[in-house]
């Protein structure tokens, strides 16, 4: 089930860059730092677990069980981030009645750190999304949606940097083309930019300018379009960019039992993961940082 694979060559200098002020001597040579990334996608307002009659999903999912799971993982490793790759809204009467308030409040209680925006998050229009922002104690990132001429302006950042145990983690967001997928009346003046070009820029800014030790792309582009290979997906972003360590995806409801490993444009490994939908699974990826050694990782999907 579990495995370890080396994802990139990370020099001691890169690792040290994230812990500014500490000298080499401050490190015990055997001191490994562990960052755990937990993630969901396409939860689609599934707050309750599935019932006993729900076929293969029977008795799975639900926010309460996810909360217990997240809490126990955080207890094991306080250096844990919780991320969501979009389509938080739409799918149960909770959304129809409360318009997303409950979803955001519960995600805040679970202490989500960052989320990106999926196409269904516009289902009550951009004004409906904006109305729920006060209930979210976590941040939204999207680098290729320009919200300048909308109510969401300044409420969504291209990226967020979080430092855990001296490790600098850069997280940027990517959203799917809305034209043809979402009624323009819903997304209004939101402008979509090419995700590949944006991802190339973002990964350069986060890795080179901001000296992040770990670069994560939170994407709602979809995993892979085999019948339409020109359509931008997590796989095409992974191959066309450098300096992204992990792409956490959504939209296609693809269930991966463990992250896929792709080669980026300079032959380094990129992890790509997605955990189906409806909160049935929680993705868990552990990154290990050791001065002078390559960054390594373990990935697995946990049934909720
Ligand atoms: Zn979805």
């Amino acid at each position: 089930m579990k495995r370890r694979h080396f994802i990139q060559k990370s020099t001691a200098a890169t690792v040290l860059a994230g812990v500014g002020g500490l000298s080499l001597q401050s490190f015990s040579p055997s001191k490994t730092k562990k960052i755990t990334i937990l993630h969901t996608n396409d939860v689609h307002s599934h707050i309750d677990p599935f019932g006993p009659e729900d076929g293969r999903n029977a008795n799975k999912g639900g926010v309460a069980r996810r909360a217990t799971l997240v809490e126990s993982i955080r207890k094991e490793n306080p250096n844990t981030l919780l991320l969501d790759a979009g389509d938080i809204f739409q799918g149960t009467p909770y959304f129809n009645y409360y318009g997303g308030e409950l979803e955001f409040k519960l995600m805040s209680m679970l202490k989500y750190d960052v989320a990106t925006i999926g196409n269904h998050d516009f289902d009550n229009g951009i004004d409906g999304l904006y109305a729920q922002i006060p209930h979210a104690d976590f941040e939204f990132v999207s680098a290729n949606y320009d919200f300048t001429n909308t109510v969401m302006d300044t409420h969504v950042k291209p990226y967020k940097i979080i430092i855990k145990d001296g490790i600098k983690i850069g997280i940027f967001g990517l959203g799917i083309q809305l034209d043809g997928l979402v009624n323009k009346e819903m997304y209004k003046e939101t402008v979509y930019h090419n995700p590949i070009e944006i991802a190339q820029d973002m990964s350069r800014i986060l890795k080179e300018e901001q000296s992040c030790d770990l670069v994560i792309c939170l994407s709602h582009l979809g995993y892979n379009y085999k019948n339409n290979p020109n359509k931008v997906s997590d796989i095409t972003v992974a191959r066309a960019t450098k300096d992204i360590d992990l792409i956490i995806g959504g939209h296609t409801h693809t269930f991966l039992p463990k992250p896929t490993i792709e080669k980026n444009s300079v032959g380094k490994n990129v992890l790509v993961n997605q955990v189906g939908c409806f909160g049935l699974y929680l993705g868990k990826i552990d990154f290990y940082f050791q001065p002078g050694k390559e960054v390594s990782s373990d990935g697995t999907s946990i049934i909720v």
Side-chain angles (χ1 to χ4, degrees):
M1 284 277 285
K2 277 202 169 187
R3 63 190 178 146
R4 173 168 292 205
H5 35 76
F6 295 99
I7 62 153
Q8 65 169 104
K9 286 203 195 303
S10 176
T11 63
T14 311
V15 176
L16 285 169
V19 291
L22 289 184
S23 69
L24 257 176
Q25 286 72 24
S26 308
F27 281 103
S28 132
S30 60
K31 174 92 171 79
T32 301
K33 294 187 177 192
K34 178 180 167 185
I35 303 290
T36 298
I37 307 295
L38 300 179
H39 61 97
T40 50
N41 59 278
D42 300 275
V43 177
H44 285 293
S45 305
H46 280 74
I47 288 164
D48 298 323
F50 282 85
E53 313 296 323
D54 277 315
R56 65 191 181 131
N57 296 338
N59 304 312
K60 285 188 202 163
V63 174
R65 256 183 288 190
R66 196 191 325 148
T68 307
L69 204 52
V70 168
E71 197 180 72
S72 73
I73 293 166
R74 281 204 185 106
K75 210 166 272 173
E76 190 189 301
N77 183 16
N79 299 312
T80 292
L81 292 184
L82 180 56
L83 310 175
D84 186 90
D87 274 10
I88 295 164
F89 290 174
Q90 192 68 273
T92 72
Y94 286 117
F95 176 68
N96 305 89
Y97 280 99
Y98 302 110
E101 178 179 336
L102 207 49
E103 289 84 331
F104 282 2
K105 280 184 170 171
L106 289 166
M107 286 173 74
S108 302
M109 286 171 74
L110 264 68
K111 296 191 169 58
Y112 270 79
D113 293 283
V114 185
T116 196
I117 295 166
N119 48 299
H120 281 291
D121 299 318
F122 292 96
D123 280 5
N124 277 349
I126 193 161
D127 297 300
L129 174 60
Y130 173 71
Q132 304 307 334
I133 291 289
H135 303 298
D137 286 341
F138 52 90
E139 290 197 58
F140 288 95
V141 289
S142 180
N144 71 319
Y145 287 164
D146 181 351
F147 289 108
T148 303
N149 293 318
T150 76
V151 288
M152 289 295 282
D153 186 30
T154 74
H155 296 282
V156 181
K157 307 229 157 51
Y159 64 83
K160 163 115 180 135
I161 292 174
I162 298 173
I163 297 172
K164 289 267 180 193
D165 198 16
I167 301 291
K168 199 171 180 184
I169 305 150
I171 303 158
F172 71 97
L174 290 178
I176 195 164
Q177 183 154 25
L178 296 169
D179 184 27
L181 186 65
V182 178
N183 193 323
K184 183 152 177 16
E185 284 168 27
M186 295 298 190
Y187 65 84
K188 292 189 170 167
E189 299 304 314
T190 307
V191 178
Y192 165 89
H193 292 293
N194 182 315
I196 301 262
E197 287 167 23
I198 296 287
Q200 285 165 340
D201 279 354
M202 277 295 126
S203 49
R204 180 185 49 77
I205 289 167
L206 292 172
K207 202 72 144 199
E208 290 173 23
E209 291 176 19
Q210 301 288 343
S211 305
C212 288
D213 303 297
L214 194 62
V215 175
I216 299 173
C217 169
L218 206 47
S219 151
H220 199 78
L221 294 173
Y223 177 63
N224 193 12
Y225 300 97
K226 286 201 174 106
N227 299 324
N228 187 2
N230 293 325
K231 191 174 159 90
V232 180
S233 66
D234 294 341
I235 295 295
T236 64
V237 169
R239 289 176 184 163
T241 56
K242 65 185 182 97
D243 292 328
I244 298 175
D245 299 296
L246 167 66
I247 300 175
I248 292 169
H251 188 60
T252 43
H253 297 196
T254 307
F255 172 73
L256 299 170
K258 58 177 187 281
T260 303
I261 305 167
E262 278 294 320
K263 292 284 181 204
N264 72 12
S265 65
V266 293
K268 285 185 188 170
N269 290 341
V270 190
L271 301 186
V272 183
N273 207 24
Q274 190 175 150
V275 288
C277 54
F278 308 150
L280 292 163
Y281 296 90
L282 180 70
K284 178 176 182 280
I285 301 164
D286 297 317
F287 287 94
Y288 299 91
F289 297 82
Q290 210 176 347
K293 295 218 172 151
E294 291 177 332
V295 178
S296 61
S297 65
D298 273 339
T300 182
S301 295
I302 303 166
I303 299 172
V304 177

